[in-house]
DNA sequence: TATTTTGCTTTCGATTTGAAAGTAAAAATA
DNA sequence: TATTTTTACTTTCAAATCGAAAGCAAAATA
């Protein structure tokens, strides 16, 4: 339970700066990415992602994203200790940013990427709308 | 002059994670933003942007972006003390990420934005290709 | 009942940050 | 020509943020 509702201290009214103030760190969008791929994730699921986020950082980012209403946190149907995180519409709408970032890396760091990843990006570049739609409906 | 060429230590081969490792901080994309708007900028120009980056941070980010070949640094035609920073193609290609981030903020933080900004985002939402093309040709 | 799993929190040393002051060279001004 | 100002940084330092590891309590499982 969060008590202190920290007032947002935005650096400017630029919409880019605003976005960076909210989720412009090394981890937030990776959490969103996992939720785009898998739709539902638990704390442990996120911990197992290959970037190896620490539990302190993950805990912090999850509550920030929840405060921002980018994700929701709900109870597991049978296991009281486990929580299920999902994207809201606000979170889903971060997909284009993520896709464009992936697309850029595809162009300039192609050799670092897995074949599976390349195929997703290629599909996105060919038909962005369709790939984004897939994320939203899966 | 940079001596130590630090080896990139990427957290994973995910293209999103890769992008975040390179420019996923609070300042790098704001520098790119200024260059998208104005094409040419000096150290002082960047310093005057409304987000008020400190000179130490600006200096650090400019050399990182130059190392990444996202920007170039060249001499001022008449003033030896001044340098001119510009985007490379690699840097220009960050425009869609920036535009999508602005678009997201437009949707969810509309009331924070200036009318001028809103108009740009509206134009982008109506015809992304055209707005991006404008950036590249101005 | 004992052990394991889960979702955290706590601790702590290391890294990164912003703010401020300092610097040196070049340019502008007197 | 001498002095002042401008520019592009660098340096310093306290504060904030970070990752790694350990700790914890409740719930699930064996």
């Amino acid at each position: 339970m969060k008590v202190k509702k920290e007032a947002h201290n935005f650096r400017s009214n630029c919409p880019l700066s605003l976005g960076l103030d909210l989720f412009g760190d090394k981890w937030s969008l990776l959490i969103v990415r996992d939720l785009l791929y898998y739709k539902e994730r638990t704390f442990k699921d996120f911990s197992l992602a290959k970037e190896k986020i620490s539990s302190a950082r993950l805990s912090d980012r999850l509550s920030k994203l929840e405060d921002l209403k980018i994700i929701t946190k709900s109870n597991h149907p049978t296991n009281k200790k486990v929580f299920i995180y999902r994207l809201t519409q606000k979170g889903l709408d971060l997909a284009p940013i993520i896709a464009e970032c992936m697309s850029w890396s595809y162009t300039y760091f192609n050799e670092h990427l897995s074949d599976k990843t390349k195929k997703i990006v290629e599909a996105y570049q060919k038909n962005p709308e369709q790939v984004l739609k897939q994320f939203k409906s899966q």
Side-chain angles (χ1 to χ4, degrees), chain A:
Chain A
M1 204 186 300
K2 252 309 189 53
V3 174
K4 185 174 55 178
K5 185 126 193 173
E6 62 209 79
H8 289 304
N9 226 359
F10 300 134
R11 288 173 294 172
S12 80
N13 63 347
C14 163
L16 174 65
S17 161
L18 205 61
L20 293 172
D21 286 339
L22 298 178
F23 50 77
D25 64 80
K26 302 263 183 240
W27 295 110
S28 295
L29 289 182
L30 294 183
I31 291 172
V32 175
R33 173 203 63 185
D34 284 0
L35 287 171
L36 281 169
Y37 279 126
Y38 299 105
K39 198 177 168 189
E40 299 182 347
R41 294 271 93 179
T42 64
F43 192 95
K44 199 192 177 197
D45 290 333
F46 290 121
S47 298
L48 294 175
K50 50 190 171 332
E51 291 86 6
K52 296 271 165 273
I53 188 171
S54 73
S55 58
R57 219 48 44 212
L58 177 57
S59 179
D60 176 69
R61 289 309 187 278
L62 286 174
S63 52
K64 278 183 180 164
L65 290 172
E66 198 193 350
D67 288 348
L68 289 169
K69 301 191 188 304
I70 283 171
I71 64 174
T72 59
K73 176 183 186 176
S74 49
N75 292 313
H76 188 278
T78 59
N79 188 327
K80 284 190 179 179
K81 200 73 215 295
V82 175
F83 300 94
I84 297 180
Y85 297 93
R86 294 186 183 86
L87 287 176
T88 61
Q89 184 62 46
K90 198 174 178 180
L92 266 171
D93 285 342
L94 293 170
I97 302 172
I98 290 172
E100 288 298 342
C101 183
M102 288 180 167
S103 192
W104 185 91
S105 297
Y106 176 88
T107 303
Y108 292 104
F109 287 83
N110 197 276
E111 68 281 5
H112 285 266
L113 310 183
S114 71
D115 287 347
K116 189 187 158 199
T117 303
K118 286 183 188 175
K119 274 183 183 157
I120 295 173
V121 179
E122 280 158 16
Y124 175 77
Q125 290 181 340
K126 200 171 290 176
N127 193 341
E129 303 287 331
Q130 199 200 323
V131 173
L132 293 178
K133 214 165 150 185
Q134 270 176 20
F135 277 131
K136 298 194 184 188
S137 65
Q138 80 188 189

